[in-house]
Amino acid sequence: MVDKARIEALVYETIDDVNEALEPSHRLEKSLSTPLLGPGSTLDSLGLVSLLVGLEQRLDQTFHRALNLAEELANPQGPFQDVSTLVAHIASRLS
């Protein structure tokens, strides 16, 4: 079974990295309800791609599994509504 708390921690570590490049008013909150895409999100497309690439690298280093999260961007019902949805999606893909 995949540890969702570990995935959540990796997402938050990646958010910290992305936030360093963002203006304070555009920084992401480290919360399960933080929107990543669509209404309420402070990320532009480059910011979202940076988040996904950084997260893919962390997941590969931690779980030794290469995931392509960006492939989900074409899916309008994809896992990027908020951090909680993304964590659940990653856990299901790693299971």
Side-chain angles (χ1 to χ4, degrees):
M1 180 171 216
V2 177
D3 182 3
K4 280 189 173 182
R6 183 65 186 129
I7 295 169
E8 184 179 339
L10 293 173
V11 171
Y12 291 152
E13 289 171 20
T14 308
I15 285 174
D16 284 337
D17 290 346
V18 170
N19 278 344
E20 288 180 17
L22 298 174
E23 295 292 326
S25 63
H26 287 88
R27 290 185 180 151
L28 294 170
E29 182 182 342
K30 292 192 297 186
S31 165
L32 288 172
S33 62
T34 298
L36 300 175
L37 186 65
S41 176
T42 60
L43 285 179
D44 60 13
S45 58
L46 181 59
L48 181 60
V49 170
S50 295
L51 178 75
L52 296 180
V53 169
L55 184 55
E56 288 171 356
Q57 291 172 345
R58 279 191 165 84
L59 291 167
D60 188 29
Q61 292 168 352
T62 303
F63 296 105
H64 308 288
R65 294 267 312 273
L67 295 180
N68 183 352
L69 299 172
E71 70 188 8
E72 297 288 336
L73 286 171
N75 178 0
Q77 301 301 315
F80 306 115
Q81 292 85 14
D82 56 33
V83 171
S84 176
T85 306
L86 180 59
V87 168
H89 175 74
I90 292 168
S92 107
R93 295 234 355 231
L94 290 174
S95 295

